Amino acid sequence: MKKLLSSLTQLLSVVAPTAITSDEPEPGIPLPLVIWHGLGDNYQADGLRAVGELAKRVNPGTYVYNIHLADDASQDRTASFFGNVTEQLAQVCAALATDPVLKRAPAINGLGFSQGGQFLRGYVERCNRPPVRNLVTFGGQHNGIARFRDCAATDWLCHSAFALLKTNAWSEAVQSRVVPAQYYRDPNDLSQYLEKSNFLADINNERVLKNDTYRRNLRRLRKFAMFLFTDDQTVIPKESGWFAETNLTTGQVTALRDRDLYREDWLGLRALDERGGLDFEAVEGGHMHLTDELLVATFKRYFSLRGSDTAGTTEEL
């Protein structure tokens, strides 16, 4: 696995951040919006298209790019369950860096749904070209999942993925192939997690050797808004959406600001928070219970010309 990460690090250097003369959009034109969908969804789904159309209506002129790992919608959905997330992220980094519109943009905004939230954060940390100005995640699993979701009775793709995950989540075969396994994090088995996690332990900078590039890139955001669903039964624990640590036995929750990850600023979240760039938002309802009213308010606040320009200040690097 270390050999794989090393080779992919060399690949990512092709799309590594470069000097940017200005991250200000052209007058009157909103920054492009990049969306990463969640588990079991696909980039051509009606719901996702409706979100993109709403973003365009709220902020006219917005270029919307839906991240996809295959042109075929069915294969893109399969890739949300099966694949090596490190390799998938490298593919996305290359795609965004070469998109004819995005590559000319001074910056972009990011919107991640469910697992797409931590994957977009991984994009910011590992490549960030074009750079993300404001990052918004709904129902993300930034601190991983400690239990596995239930699947719909006839969703055999979901059943197949989670059957493999439950056999041996830490085996190399599962960690390199089953997507949810790569953000599985059992607080009662952190030694296995730190040694064998293919994705989350790395992008959360939890291992002894810290990656300062991750810290610099995340600190560069103007706003990082994390939306948590108060009645979420899919993300366990739901507090993962705010980087909190939850003891599933006692129910005790350790908030982000009380964790070493924040105190020692492994990811730059403390620095971002201290200049007003970190937002914790709660939404009533179950997982991905989104309303047009909520989305409109979010798009105005974080993705409009005024929202992008006034939502904090980007740290100079």
Side-chain angles (χ1 to χ4, degrees), residues 18 33 40 67 75 89 104 120 126 151 205-206 226 315:
T18 56
L33 176 61
I67 288 174
Q75 292 179 15
L89 188 52
R104 297 197 306 269
L120 257 182
R126 287 186 176 175
C151 300
N205 240 355
E206 292 184 87
M226 299 176 286
E315 178 173 296

Side-chain angles (χ1 to χ4, degrees), residues 91 99 104 167 194 210 287:
Q91 178 183 338
D99 179 83
R104 297 197 306 269
T167 57
L194 290 173
K210 308 301 181 189
H287 188 64

